[in-house]
Amino acid sequence: MTLETDLSIRQLIQKFSEKSLSPSEYWLALETIIEAWEPTIAALYAYDAEEARKQAAASTERWTKGTPLGALDGIPVTLKELIATKGQPVPLGTAAVELVPAAEDAPIAARLREDGAVIFAKTTCPDYGMLSSGLSSFHKLSRNPWDPTQNPGGSSAGASAAAAAGYGPLHIGTDIGGSVRLPAGWTGIFGFKPSHGRIPVDPYYVGRCAGPMTRTVEDAAFSMATLSRPDWRDGTSLPPNQIDWMDFDIDLRGLKIGLMLDAGCGLPVDAEVRDAVISAAKRFEEAGAIVIDVAPVLTRQMLEGLDVFWRARFWGDIMGLSEERREMILPYIYTWAKGGADISGVDAVRGFNQTIEMRKSCGKLFTEVDAVISPTNPIVSYPAEWASPTNDPALPFEHIGFTVPWNMSEQPASSINCGFSRSGMPIGLQIVGPRFDDMLVLRLSKAFETWTGGVTNWPKRPA
């Protein structure tokens, strides 16, 4: 029997509209789930149940009068801690940052408030969002609900854990190298990184996107009408769209899909991951798609160039801090960042230029295929206490080979569950579409979810 807390956004809105369930009643039911899980997985920052009750009560009153603010009125939502909300500090996941209240809502928070969403908490991330891990010098260690000894991934660590544990239908993460998709893959949820600029962010940066993290494709798609409204603060924000985000109809016959099983560099793919992705490819073939093996788009030179550029950029961000504050940064991150202190401007630019090479490589591949599927993550899992899948600051990005190129090429990509390992951990399938064709990714994702039935046996809440 479906619990009220397992309802989709569309189902909730229907119940709010017909007054068979109120936002207040739904929120109070959700509180019990959060209270049961949070001591174990530590997904939240700035959780304020009392404020959420007030927001839900205001939404209940609007629905009673038949005057909802927008499409998400009364829907509980979390935002990754990096996304500013007015009046709350933005710690950036690190103890090194002074806790100064944000002066205004970031674009995503502003859009959600305009539509009446109940923003009840922020979600955890590692220092400066620079790890694929739930480890932080500021937040408690976030853990994977499927197995709390394991990592939820990152940097949208808390968002992925919250979604998998059932903290409501919608959680927003950010992604500059895979930080929505990687944790989505490791926690069995759906993570969507739209085309660059589709969801405005502030501050914006090369490759930086935001995206919904949900249990179903439909919930992610439903949220896009709100999240994708333009905002002048993002200089890369795409024009207003007339996209029907809930149109999932697709005929796969003749669609050419590239199957990428080799990232080109980084960690080798676990056999269980490879087998699950190959099985997924066969599903697409059975539906009439033409699946062909494709070569990697990433090279070691590209990944190392990006590493050089990111180190130099990050050192520039923290060099103004006092030595005392720099020492408060997670040692793994600080050790990595210090490598940027001696990088010349010329070398930093050369490193940045490798992002252009990634864009060219991805563009060339998409002259030959309509979409690409691959593993999201090369490995099944890793310990909760590790800072990254290698746990080695000298090799910090060995796990992002399948995900980071699509940030630099600005293409939409998702991660959807495609099976489980023998140890019971989720395995993610990445689906990539052409630049600006966000709906192709959502339609392919929805088709795959329909074939498999999606994840139904989510982790049971602690007693």
Side-chain angles (χ1 to χ4, degrees):
M1 180 174 171
T2 300
L3 299 172
E4 296 287 16
T5 51
D6 290 335
L7 296 171
S8 71
I9 295 175
R10 188 154 58 166
Q11 289 171 327
L12 285 168
I13 294 298
Q14 178 63 34
K15 285 183 173 290
F16 295 165
S17 178
E18 64 191 21
K19 300 179 179 60
S20 61
L21 178 70
S22 74
S24 288
E25 290 168 333
Y26 177 68
W27 169 253
L28 290 175
L30 211 58
E31 270 192 44
T32 63
I33 293 175
I34 295 168
E35 288 169 1
W37 268 113
E38 193 58 13
T40 301
I41 63 173
L44 302 182
Y45 165 68
Y47 172 49
D48 190 338
E50 184 60 36
E51 172 60 25
R53 290 185 205 123
K54 291 177 183 177
Q55 293 181 51
S59 176
T60 296
E61 185 174 351
R62 290 192 294 269
W63 279 108
T64 299
K65 294 177 178 177
T67 57
L69 287 177
L72 294 175
D73 203 330
I75 301 300
V77 180
T78 68
L79 299 178
K80 187 176 180 177
E81 182 252 276
L82 300 178
I83 301 170
T85 46
K86 185 177 180 179
Q88 291 181 316
V90 184
L92 303 178
T94 181
V97 168
E98 295 186 36
L99 299 181
V100 178
E104 61 181 358
D105 283 336
I108 293 163
R111 299 296 86 74
L112 289 167
R113 289 198 206 278
E114 289 166 1
D115 276 10
V118 176
I119 301 175
F120 68 90
K122 310 296 275 295
T123 50
T124 62
C125 66
D127 292 53
Y128 299 94
M130 289 303 299
L131 294 177
S132 190
S133 176
L135 185 63
S136 161
S137 66
F138 179 82
H139 300 295
K140 292 180 180 178
L141 177 64
S142 296
R143 297 175 179 272
N144 195 322
W146 292 96
D147 179 350
T149 71
Q150 298 300 291
N151 212 295
S155 61
S156 303
S160 65
Y167 289 18
L170 181 59
H171 309 271
I172 312 300
T174 61
D175 187 318
I176 198 171
S179 289
V180 161
R181 291 156 290 155
L182 293 166
W186 277 311
T187 57
I189 65 170
F190 180 69
F192 180 50
K193 181 199 81 69
S195 297
H196 187 92
R198 183 69 72 197
I199 296 176
V201 296
D202 179 34
Y204 65 91
Y205 198 73
V206 176
R208 185 171 187 250
C209 298
M213 303 176 72
T214 60
R215 283 186 168 188
T216 67
V217 176
E218 181 185 285
D219 280 344
F222 193 101
S223 73
M224 286 299 296
T226 297
L227 298 172
S228 65
R229 292 202 293 268
D231 192 293
W232 68 267
R233 289 173 289 178
D234 186 342
T236 65
S237 178
L238 297 180
N241 65 75
Q242 298 298 320
I243 298 170
D244 182 354
W245 292 102
M246 300 300 285
D247 179 7
F248 297 119
D249 288 344
I250 187 170
D251 184 353
L252 275 74
R253 289 175 296 181
L255 192 78
K256 188 176 288 188
I257 298 177
L259 173 60
M260 185 182 294
L261 295 172
D262 177 6
C265 56
L267 292 171
V269 177
D270 284 350
E272 289 181 279
V273 173
R274 182 184 180 90
D275 290 346
V277 171
I278 290 174
S279 294
K282 290 177 181 176
R283 294 267 193 169
F284 285 102
E285 281 187 321
E286 290 166 2
I290 302 167
V291 178
I292 61 172
D293 292 331
V294 295
V297 289
L298 191 69
T299 65
R300 174 58 63 181
Q301 184 179 6
M302 292 176 191
L303 190 60
E304 289 182 352
L306 184 65
D307 185 14
V308 166
F309 170 61
W310 276 351
R311 285 182 199 241
R313 171 187 169 243
F314 187 61
W315 183 254
D317 289 343
I318 66 171
M319 64 184 297
L321 296 176
S322 67
E323 182 64 25
E324 181 183 10
R325 284 215 165 263
R326 288 205 299 265
E327 293 290 347
M328 296 168 73
I329 298 171
L330 192 75
Y332 180 103
I333 287 288
Y334 191 34
T335 298
W336 170 78
K338 284 191 288 190
D342 298 322
I343 293 172
S344 70
V346 170
D347 285 339
V349 171
R350 284 175 178 157
F352 174 80
N353 286 344
Q354 291 302 315
T355 69
I356 307 301
E357 295 305 312
M358 287 186 213
R359 180 189 290 261
K360 288 165 61 178
S361 182
C362 294
K364 183 176 185 299
L365 175 58
F366 268 78
T367 65
E368 303 164 6
V369 297
D370 301 307
V372 168
I373 58 175
S374 76
T376 303
N377 310 298
I379 64 171
V380 167
S381 191
Y382 56 105
E385 295 79 10
W386 283 18
S388 75
T390 62
N391 208 33
D392 181 353
L395 297 168
F397 302 128
E398 298 300 292
H399 58 288
I400 67 173
F402 287 112
T403 55
V404 71
W406 315 113
N407 291 79
M408 302 310 152
S409 65
E410 304 188 358
Q411 294 175 234
S414 70
S415 177
I416 190 167
N417 179 259
C418 67
F420 289 84
S421 69
R422 287 185 294 275
S423 61
M425 298 305 292
I427 295 172
L429 171 74
Q430 182 176 228
I431 301 174
V432 186
R435 189 170 176 232
F436 306 135
D437 197 348
D438 303 83
M439 282 310 304
L440 178 60
V441 171
L442 289 173
R443 286 170 179 148
L444 290 172
S445 300
K446 180 62 176 177
F448 186 78
E449 182 183 60
T450 301
W451 302 331
T452 63
V455 178
T456 54
N457 295 317
W458 291 96
K460 291 182 173 61
R461 76 174 91 169

